[in-house]
Amino acid sequence: MIQRRQFAAALGAAAFAPHLRAAEPGVTDSEVVFGHTGILNGPLGGQIKVMLAGAELAFAESRAQGGAAGRRVRIVSLDDELKPDRAIANYEKLLGDGVFGFFGCVGSATTAAAAPMLQKSGAPWLAGYAVADTARERLKGNGFFVRATTGREAQSLVQHLTTIGVTKIGVAMLDNPGGKEAAALVDAALSSHKLQAAASVFLKGDASNVKESADTLVKAAPQAVIMYLGGALPGELMKAGWAQGFSPMYYGMSIVAGEVTVKVAGEKARGLAISQVMPYPWSESDPVTREYRRLAEAAKVPVGYYSFEGYLNALVLLEGLRRSGRELTRSRLIGTMRNLKMRTASMDLDYAANGITGSRFVELVQVTHEGRFVR
């Protein structure tokens, strides 16, 4: 009897306390919590930390203005070292801790491994980074990406090269599932122009086969090399080729870090072209970009493509939350995202087109000897 009275009293109190509301996991009257899993240490981890710092610029500004539909966004981040078993454990922990959804998670193999669990959870999953196109498809229904697909990058690079008369093209990719898929997408783009790769090499993450890979490229002598390589690998490959007098044009997909490449390869890396899937962070004409730089400089966050991608990803999430309103549920946000069309930083996003990737934006930029980017 005492227990019944206590339960009734608690139920009555809840009816008169709006902040004590039955809600979706991770949602209170004042905040919504998203989980993140990715690599957070080493060279690749440094890039991800910068991206998350860029996202926090937008989340902090939103909090200062009252939040998205009155709620602040909080991110809980865990390191998975890009290992599928660690990623699955992190997703399980974050779901068990009651996050509403996921933001900015990293990696192809980790995403593919966790996809069945994520689909079953019904949690919205937004703004992934370095996730191969096939892994994206496994999240269709509750996964939403901002950046253009790897296939779109491959098509743009091959189109550019063939337009300027380059037909003998080499391919240098990471020796992992994402790299092998990127190679297949470049092959498909070449095939559409009745071409095939002059040589294809796959580099190990520890750089142990850089010289062997360079030797293969030197022997094939392509006019240009398309790279899908992270960290110091692009610079190491370029140096190994130059040591043998091999100086083709180098084109990096967006995974290639121009700043890191210049640090490794020096001023000879100037002229490296990279297909960027985010707008130019140093634009003076776009007000969203100028605001990003103002916030980044005030917070001492490095201005560049990584932090800008995080910032724009956060703006897309905030807009989805704003349009979903105060009665926020997982299914409501997913429904909002499936039909979301918006423009930010001169980049158009339309999720209604294919339900998973918002942008088709790809732009070629060049890297200077100082590690800066120019259009």
Side-chain angles (χ1 to χ4, degrees):
M1 189 69 174
I2 294 176
Q3 289 179 340
R4 286 186 181 179
R5 288 175 182 169
Q6 289 172 336
F7 176 76
L11 185 63
F16 291 99
H19 63 284
L20 297 173
R21 57 189 290 272
E24 294 282 88
V27 179
T28 69
D29 275 358
S30 60
E31 76 171 7
V32 54
V33 182
F34 285 81
H36 166 270
T37 181
I39 186 166
L40 297 175
N41 293 292
L44 294 178
Q47 298 172 13
I48 303 308
K49 286 180 179 177
V50 171
M51 185 182 71
L52 292 173
E56 182 57 26
L57 296 174
F59 294 143
E61 187 68 5
S62 172
R63 287 195 294 270
Q65 297 176 8
R71 294 187 178 93
R72 69 188 185 101
V73 174
R74 180 162 62 89
I75 306 295
V76 177
S77 188
L78 299 177
D79 191 351
D80 60 27
E81 300 177 354
L82 282 182
K83 296 177 180 178
D85 57 338
R86 284 283 300 275
I88 289 173
N90 285 353
Y91 279 119
E92 289 175 342
K93 175 173 173 47
L94 291 163
L95 286 168
D97 289 345
V99 300
F100 177 75
F102 298 95
F103 174 85
C105 298
V106 183
S108 301
T110 50
T111 301
M117 176 206 315
L118 295 170
Q119 290 279 24
K120 185 177 180 180
S121 75
W125 193 102
L126 295 92
Y129 179 80
V131 179
D133 297 358
T134 54
R136 294 185 186 208
E137 287 296 323
R138 296 190 185 191
L139 288 180
K140 195 163 189 176
N142 65 329
F144 303 93
F145 294 80
V146 175
R147 57 169 32 227
T149 63
T150 307
R152 171 71 176 151
E153 283 193 71
Q155 292 164 5
S156 297
L157 284 169
V158 171
Q159 180 64 53
H160 168 77
L161 287 169
T162 55
T163 298
I164 64 174
V166 175
T167 57
K168 194 173 183 182
I169 301 168
V171 176
M173 303 287 168
L174 285 170
D175 188 10
N176 65 16
K180 290 174 181 176
E181 181 170 325
L185 291 167
V186 172
D187 285 344
L190 288 169
S191 180
S192 69
H193 291 271
K194 296 182 170 54
L195 299 172
Q196 61 183 16
S200 297
V201 297
F202 295 88
L203 280 73
K204 299 185 182 302
D206 62 3
S208 59
N209 66 335
V210 165
K211 186 180 183 307
E212 175 189 336
S213 299
D215 290 347
T216 300
L217 291 172
V218 170
K219 185 176 180 179
Q223 298 163 282
V225 175
I226 295 176
M227 301 183 291
Y228 181 93
L229 300 171
L233 287 175
E236 296 294 350
L237 180 67
M238 294 165 80
K239 285 199 304 181
W242 294 332
Q244 300 184 55
F246 177 58
S247 299
M249 295 179 285
Y250 284 99
Y251 285 79
M253 303 183 86
S254 60
I255 189 176
V256 172
E259 309 96 315
V260 176
T261 302
V262 168
K263 287 180 181 178
V264 173
E267 65 173 22
K268 286 181 69 176
R270 67 181 182 277
L272 165 67
I274 298 178
S275 60
Q276 298 291 358
V277 293
M278 292 290 140
Y280 193 63
W282 298 274
S283 170
E284 292 293 343
S285 60
D286 179 71
V288 173
T289 309
R290 291 199 304 270
E291 175 67 359
Y292 148 75
R293 286 202 307 275
R294 181 187 72 80
L295 294 171
E297 289 163 5
K300 294 182 171 50
V301 171
V303 171
Y305 282 102
Y306 294 122
S307 61
F308 196 33
E309 178 163 0
Y311 180 77
L312 294 181
N313 284 344
L315 290 185
V316 173
L317 171 57
L318 289 167
E319 181 63 14
L321 292 170
R322 185 190 69 79
R323 295 190 190 188
S324 296
R326 285 292 293 172
E327 298 304 313
L328 181 62
T329 63
R330 287 172 166 174
S331 60
R332 183 183 290 270
L333 178 59
I334 287 172
T336 298
M337 292 301 303
R338 284 177 180 169
N339 296 288
L340 181 67
K341 295 181 182 181
M342 63 180 287
R343 182 175 175 83
T344 184
S346 303
M347 179 173 66
D348 292 310
L349 293 106
D350 180 359
Y351 289 96
N354 71 3
I356 190 165
T357 298
S359 170
R360 287 176 54 80
F361 179 91
V362 178
E363 177 181 63
L364 277 180
V365 298
Q366 282 194 316
V367 181
T368 71
H369 69 281
E370 298 170 328
R372 296 175 60 84
F373 297 94
V374 294
R375 288 160 131 174

